[in-house]
Amino acid sequence: MKRSLQGLILCFCLCICGCTDDLQNAGQVVLDDDDAIVVCADTFDLSSDLRECANIISDPDSFLIGEIENKYGTMRAEVLTQLACPEGFSYPDNAEIDSICLHFYYRSWTGDGKSPLAIDVYQIDVRELNLNSDTLHYTTDVALEDYCSLTDSTHLVQHQRIILAGAHRDSVYSSTTQTYVPAISFRLSDDFCKRFFAKRSYTTQADFNKFFKGLYICTNFGSATVLNLTDINMGVYYHFSYPKAGTGKDTVVADMKAFYANAEINTINRFEYLNKSAVLNQLRAEADSVNFVIAPAGVYTSLCLPMRKMDSIIQYRINEKWYPTILKRPYVNLAEVRVDVLNGNSSSTPEGWTLPATQMLLIKDNRIASFFANKELPSDTVAILSSLQLGTDSLGLSQLYYSFDISTLLTNQLRHQTTEDTLRMTLVPVSIETTTANGTSVVVAVKQSQTISATKIRSAQDARSPMTLKVVYSGFQSGRYQE
């Protein structure tokens, strides 16, 4: 029995010694004879250029109004809006009108708060803003003549109102924010008051829209300020009387009914760059060192990824030589596009009025239109979102930048090979809506930015610090190579 046990131990030790080499190569034993694990890293140069953005879908959360002129061109912002009617409301039979006033509220502005700005208002009279968000999208470059004739009879301002954005002469206390919100109020013409007050009751919004198509709000003086309006409403001020019991006298009551520009009706924030082509040519002259992303509906920057040069990712390298052997299931482990921002400090100069965009989307160029029209969300294979970040450069100095992880996008591209030499992607400034789910912030909506921003970025061709894409990738090599 003792000898049998000694023999068993000896046999087990011999087996272990004989299997040492196999254990060291156990990972490769399970692979096909023609397969090998490949892990490599490469660096690729990128290129960038400017592209003109003709328009964006108008879906405003607030309203820009005014005009601003600086290095990035002259941008004019105007508003076309319906007003929500109080359905089922009717004025008392003996009511008489006193006045109709417009009220604008704003929390911020871009430009010079001490520069005068004159606001003007016309009535929309040509046709209604019949916007069905499921089938039709208004763009920010709508033809004004399609909606307004701009005749004297449609001009609604009785006395021109010139304001200074930074003066805060009028303000309204907000119980929500517990702050005073700057306000602008002015009276509309007496002729308009009579026409508008002729309708004494309101049945449906559609019926009201036929009677009153809406307002066109613009400016006719000033080129240094754009207001960011948070609310627009029109107040109809009237009075009526009723007999006071037991006195034989009438009691006079003053009242007001408000008509709001809210989410229930259609609005367009119209943007116009008066000299966009000339400005674009000037900016392109600087393309060797800097590029620009200007919102809203201004200039974007496109980045070109050299997909044809990335053929090396689906080849196999041994001893610094490339072999035409395709990687099965190639996977990009790491690929980051970093975009350095070269402006960021506000100043009193016209160029310093506009700051970089807070949120930037890097999206496939051929998917921009459908992405925003269909209200899609960021995805790793089409559109990658980045917030403006603060870091340091190679000298340890503060540096603003955007960072985009495109590893999944490249993996998808390499696994679905096309004949394109480059993949063109565009930087688009956006605004986002988020919600909290399980303690994590989740993006639920992405729209092209309708607030003013100008982002000056380092060109991919900048000789001092060219933009490169470092890629770490892996896969299974299929096929044999010959030295």
Side-chain angles (χ1 to χ4, degrees):
M1 180 73 178
K2 183 176 181 182
R3 289 180 181 178
S4 298
L5 179 61
Q6 290 175 342
L8 181 62
I9 293 174
L10 179 61
C11 289
F12 179 75
C13 292
L14 290 173
C15 289
I16 292 294
C17 293
C19 293
T20 300
D21 290 341
D22 290 337
L23 287 174
Q24 292 175 346
N25 296 285
Q28 296 182 12
V29 169
V30 298
L31 296 176
D32 185 89
D33 290 340
D34 289 337
D35 286 344
I37 296 175
V38 177
V39 178
C40 292
D42 284 292
T43 300
F44 303 95
D45 293 329
L46 303 183
S47 61
S48 62
D49 61 4
L50 296 182
R51 56 162 294 182
E52 180 179 357
C53 176
N55 57 61
I56 61 177
I57 294 173
S58 182
D59 188 13
D61 297 317
S62 57
F63 306 94
L64 297 186
I65 181 74
E67 185 175 307
I68 189 169
E69 180 180 2
N70 59 16
K71 171 180 179 176
Y72 308 113
T74 300
M75 197 278 284
R76 179 182 296 163
E78 304 166 338
V79 175
L80 291 92
T81 182
Q82 295 174 331
L83 295 176
C85 82
E87 295 184 8
F89 172 81
S90 61
Y91 298 102
D93 291 339
N94 63 349
E96 296 181 15
I97 191 167
D98 296 314
S99 63
I100 297 180
C101 296
L102 275 176
H103 305 286
F104 300 153
Y105 305 91
Y106 63 97
R107 298 189 187 279
S108 62
W109 69 89
T110 299
D112 185 357
K114 298 180 181 179
S115 180
L117 180 71
I119 295 177
D120 215 347
V121 183
Y122 290 83
Q123 183 175 340
I124 295 176
D125 64 324
V126 177
R127 65 176 181 178
E128 301 174 40
L129 301 176
N130 291 324
L131 173 59
N132 183 336
S133 59
D134 295 328
T135 59
L136 176 65
H137 302 280
Y138 277 116
T139 57
T140 52
D141 63 344
V142 294
L144 185 59
E145 60 271 18
D146 289 346
Y147 300 94
C148 301
S149 63
L150 302 182
T151 59
D152 290 342
S153 61
T154 62
H155 190 224
L156 304 185
V157 175
Q158 181 160 297
H159 301 290
Q160 188 177 60
R161 181 69 191 274
I162 298 178
I163 64 129
L164 303 177
H168 294 184
R169 292 179 181 173
D170 302 316
S171 60
V172 176
Y173 184 75
S174 170
S175 58
T176 304
T177 61
Q178 296 183 346
T179 58
Y180 283 92
V181 179
I184 306 167
S185 300
F186 53 93
R187 183 171 174 168
L188 301 185
S189 69
D190 291 337
D191 182 59
F192 172 73
C193 293
K194 294 176 182 178
R195 296 199 311 268
F196 190 85
F197 202 64
K199 191 173 182 62
R200 311 288 288 192
S201 62
Y202 307 99
T203 53
T204 65
Q205 183 68 46
D207 179 53
F208 177 74
N209 290 342
K210 290 181 173 60
F211 164 70
F212 177 71
K213 296 180 175 60
L215 299 171
Y216 165 57
I217 306 168
C218 58
T219 57
N220 59 23
F221 179 80
S223 60
T225 312
V226 172
L227 301 177
N228 185 7
L229 305 181
T230 56
D231 295 284
I232 296 174
N233 73 66
M234 185 175 74
V236 178
Y237 296 84
Y238 62 96
H239 67 272
F240 62 95
S241 63
Y242 65 91
K244 188 174 182 179
T247 65
K249 297 181 180 179
D250 289 345
T251 296
V252 178
V253 178
D255 205 349
M256 187 271 288
K257 177 53 63 177
F259 298 75
Y260 295 93
N262 56 27
E264 299 175 6
I265 45 83
N266 301 322
T267 60
I268 304 174
N269 214 163
R270 182 174 182 267
F271 303 122
E272 184 179 8
Y273 277 85
L274 306 183
N275 51 349
K276 185 188 292 187
S277 297
V279 170
L280 189 60
N281 290 335
Q282 294 175 3
L283 297 180
R284 280 180 173 145
E286 305 179 49
D288 287 343
S289 58
V290 294
N291 292 143
F292 301 89
V293 183
I294 303 169
V299 174
Y300 291 167
T301 291
S302 289
L303 302 178
C304 288
L305 281 59
M307 298 307 298
R308 183 60 60 200
K309 292 182 180 179
M310 290 186 187
D311 281 348
S312 58
I313 290 181
I314 56 174
Q315 295 178 359
Y316 184 48
R317 180 171 61 188
I318 292 183
N319 299 329
E320 302 304 319
K321 292 182 180 180
W322 292 104
Y323 298 90
T325 52
I326 303 300
L327 289 183
K328 293 193 298 186
R329 301 186 304 280
Y331 184 80
V332 177
N333 306 82
L334 176 65
E336 178 195 21
V337 173
R338 172 166 165 155
V339 179
D340 290 335
V341 177
L342 304 180
N343 66 321
N345 296 320
S346 61
S347 68
S348 58
T349 64
E351 187 174 350
W353 291 339
T354 46
L355 297 176
T358 303
Q359 303 287 341
M360 192 73 74
L361 195 71
L362 182 64
I363 181 172
K364 288 183 176 179
D365 193 71
N366 60 1
R367 292 291 299 275
I368 294 176
S370 62
F371 182 91
F372 293 106
N374 298 329
K375 299 183 179 180
E376 299 178 27
L377 294 177
S379 65
D380 291 338
T381 57
V382 174
I384 299 96
L385 180 68
S386 175
S387 300
L388 185 63
Q389 302 178 48
L390 177 63
T392 56
D393 60 15
S394 58
L395 300 177
L397 302 176
S398 296
Q399 174 71 65
L400 292 171
Y401 67 96
Y402 305 100
S403 177
F404 303 94
D405 180 359
I406 64 169
S407 55
T408 303
L409 183 145
L410 285 182
T411 297
N412 185 68
Q413 289 294 122
L414 292 170
R415 291 182 181 182
H416 302 85
Q417 281 296 295
T418 65
T419 58
E420 296 179 353
D421 290 339
T422 61
L423 174 62
R424 188 178 176 92
M425 304 192 71
T426 298
L427 293 167
V428 178
V430 295
S431 61
I432 64 173
E433 295 178 18
T434 61
T435 188
T436 301
N438 299 323
T440 302
S441 181
V442 179
V443 176
V444 294
V446 178
K447 297 186 292 187
Q448 287 166 288
S449 177
Q450 294 191 206
T451 58
I452 295 178
S453 67
T455 310
K456 184 178 180 180
I457 64 176
R458 193 185 307 280
S459 168
Q461 295 86 233
D462 183 11
R464 296 166 298 176
S465 182
M467 188 182 298
T468 59
L469 176 63
K470 296 181 180 180
V471 181
V472 177
Y473 55 92
S474 59
F476 294 96
Q477 179 236 339
S478 176
R480 292 297 186 182
Y481 64 90
Q482 299 293 326
E483 283 282 7

